Amino acid sequence: MIVKMKKQEFDQLAQEAICKACFEPLILVYKNRVAEQNTGDQTMVKELFYKELTKGQRALFVFNVYYDHASESLDEFYWWSAYFMAQPKIWSAIKAGLQYFGDAAMLLILEKIEVVLKKHNHPSSLEGFTVSRKNLDCNKELLASIRLLHVTFNETAPLTIKIINEYVLSNQWEFLKIED
């Protein structure tokens, strides 16, 4: 599922836009496949899609899905972190993706998020998942911890994106097919 791109289009991309240019076609395919699966288990569709990606695309895909949601606001950062952590396969894939790109700083932030959420008894599965964005309003200690992590996340994310962009540039074959 390598993304095809014209050489001229690729050459005009700003370096910080490379990650998005490799992600956006993938997320469109993903959303279309999930939408087409109107009956039955969507988990199988998601897993089949994921298996079609290269290792680099997987790492890029899971990070971008998380980042695009978590970067919206403090409440979204909290909820999406809890939601993905309640899905151990996805949470592990996000962390593995950061390891794949060699991004120790963002990986450390995710590990700290995990510690905070576990300390506050957040669910480790979607069964009985009742986490609400409003939970932060009810727990000042949780709010303070998440707020600090959110600030660090926002400060670190541009470096993460730069690391991913540089990786893609050095390993284009894993993400892109440049056409004349």
Side-chain angles (χ1 to χ4, degrees):
M1 192 174 312
I2 301 297
V3 174
K4 293 179 179 138
M5 190 176 295
K6 300 276 185 206
K7 179 165 178 27
Q8 181 182 357
E9 181 183 355
F10 179 76
D11 291 343
Q12 292 175 347
L13 281 176
Q15 185 170 354
E16 60 273 6
I18 293 169
C19 182
K20 280 281 185 221
C22 293
F23 172 70
E24 287 174 352
L26 298 178
I27 194 67
L28 289 175
V29 170
Y30 173 83
K31 286 179 178 180
N32 286 336
R33 287 189 186 175
V34 169
E36 289 168 2
Q37 178 68 26
N38 51 15
T39 60
D41 186 12
Q42 290 185 347
T43 303
M44 183 65 81
V45 172
K46 293 175 182 180
E47 287 180 7
L48 288 173
F49 167 83
Y50 192 72
K51 285 179 182 177
E52 289 181 44
L53 305 177
T54 66
K55 277 187 166 187
Q57 285 178 311
R58 289 177 192 156
L60 180 137
F61 185 81
V62 293
F63 172 75
N64 273 281
V65 168
Y66 174 67
Y67 173 77
D68 285 354
H69 290 94
S71 63
E72 290 293 316
S73 68
L74 175 65
D75 289 339
E76 294 301 306
F77 173 76
Y78 163 69
W79 192 86
W80 284 99
S81 296
Y83 178 69
F84 284 134
M85 197 181 93
Q87 299 174 78
K89 279 174 125 175
I90 295 174
W91 189 249
S92 293
I94 297 168
K95 293 190 322 185
L98 292 168
Q99 287 175 321
Y100 185 82
F101 291 124
D103 187 357
M106 186 60 80
L107 178 59
L108 182 60
I109 293 167
L110 265 63
E111 290 170 347
K112 288 179 178 181
I113 292 167
E114 194 170 327
V115 167
V116 167
L117 294 178
K118 283 180 179 177
K119 178 182 176 186
H120 291 275
N121 300 314
H122 279 69
S124 58
S125 77
L126 289 180
E127 188 175 319
F129 185 83
T130 59
V131 173
S132 165
R133 289 164 179 84
K134 302 286 183 209
N135 288 20
L136 292 176
D137 298 336
C138 304
N139 186 329
K140 291 190 186 300
E141 182 186 341
L142 176 61
L143 173 61
S145 296
I146 293 296
R147 184 175 282 140
L148 282 172
L149 289 167
H150 182 246
V151 167
T152 307
F153 174 83
N154 285 333
E155 291 171 351
T156 306
L159 178 59
T160 297
I161 293 166
K162 182 179 181 192
I163 289 168
I164 295 171
N165 288 334
E166 288 173 357
Y167 185 90
V168 171
L169 280 173
S170 298
N171 300 277
Q172 287 180 22
W173 59 270
E174 207 173 340
F175 303 89
L176 297 163
K177 180 177 183 192
I178 306 294
E179 301 174 330
D180 292 330

